[in-house]
Amino acid sequence: HIAQAWPPDAYGWSTIEVSFASLDAARNRILAFGCGVEVCKPLALRKSVLDFATQIVALYHDQIIDSPTTKS
């Protein structure tokens, strides 16, 4: 649930403080927003989101690069 919210900054971004039952629950919810959300803290959650996002990029990158339709 949202614990605290601040008004949008000059770029239209709002900072909110949200609590989750676990790091896994937080990561799963955050990844669903794609690039529409950025984790500021805790660092462990930031790193976990980065790790999962990196794995997703690698999966799709490898599929596209290795696809027979993309090779000459």
Side-chain angles (χ1 to χ4, degrees), residues 35-51:
C35 65
V37 67
E38 178 184 0
V39 175
C40 297
K41 59 183 178 179
L43 183 58
L45 180 56
R46 236 178 119 84
K47 287 181 177 183
S48 184
V49 168
L50 173 61
D51 176 54

Side-chain angles (χ1 to χ4, degrees), residues 14-38:
S14 295
T15 299
I16 61 171
E17 185 176 306
V18 183
S19 61
F20 291 94
S22 68
L23 185 126
D24 289 344
R27 183 195 56 239
N28 293 342
R29 184 66 182 247
I30 288 163
L31 286 171
F33 285 98
C35 65
V37 67
E38 178 184 0

